[in-house]
């Protein structure tokens, strides 16, 4: 049985930039050796001007999904990208 890994982050086609493209490549590589679970961070450029409370609510929802999936599947590893933005670093 393969080890399992839970991924959290932005992915194409929902948002296309360097990190989302790199995440897709990394998931494709990881899938060769791991069973990969995915919790996609839902964001887009239209939302960057929204209130911080909206972003926090989305993030809390994602964290709840991460814990729920992990409780159900007991992943061996967790993978996410450390963001250099202020809000990303706080997350």
């Amino acid at each position: 049985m393969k080890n399992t890994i839970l991924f959290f982050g932005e992915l194409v086609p929902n948002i296309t930039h360097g990190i989302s493209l790199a995440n897709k490549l990394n998931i494709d590589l990881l899938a060769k050796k791991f069973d990969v679970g995915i919790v996609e961070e839902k964001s887009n450029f239209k939302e960057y001007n929204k209130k911080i409370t909206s972003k926090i609510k989305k993030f809390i929802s994602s964290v709840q999904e991460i814990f729920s999936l992990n409780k159900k599947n007991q992943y061996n590893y967790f993978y996410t990208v450390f963001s250099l933005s202020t809000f990303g670093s706080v997350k």
Side-chain angles (χ1 to χ4, degrees):
M1 183 174 180
K2 285 184 180 180
N3 279 325
T4 57
I5 189 166
L6 180 58
F7 166 84
F8 172 67
E10 297 172 323
L11 291 170
V12 293
N14 187 43
I15 188 164
T16 304
H17 53 51
I19 293 173
S20 63
L21 293 167
N23 286 342
K24 174 68 172 126
L25 290 172
N26 289 338
I27 287 172
D28 291 345
L29 290 172
L30 289 168
K32 293 178 182 179
K33 296 203 177 212
F34 295 90
D35 286 328
V36 181
I38 297 173
V39 175
E40 186 173 356
E41 186 174 1
K42 303 286 191 217
S43 63
N44 61 44
F45 290 113
K46 294 176 190 172
E47 295 181 354
Y48 288 135
N49 294 326
K50 287 190 176 180
K51 291 183 180 180
I52 191 76
T53 54
S54 174
K55 293 179 186 180
I56 291 171
K57 286 178 185 177
K58 275 193 168 185
F59 177 70
I60 290 171
S61 174
S62 294
V63 170
Q64 289 172 332
E65 186 177 355
I66 289 167
F67 279 109
S68 175
L69 277 175
N70 190 53
K71 185 176 180 179
K72 179 180 176 184
N73 298 308
Q74 295 293 302
Y75 289 95
N76 300 109
Y77 301 99
F78 179 72
Y79 177 88
T80 191
V81 175
F82 182 76
S83 176
L84 298 179
S85 71
T86 303
F87 183 69
S89 298
V90 170
K91 291 191 299 185

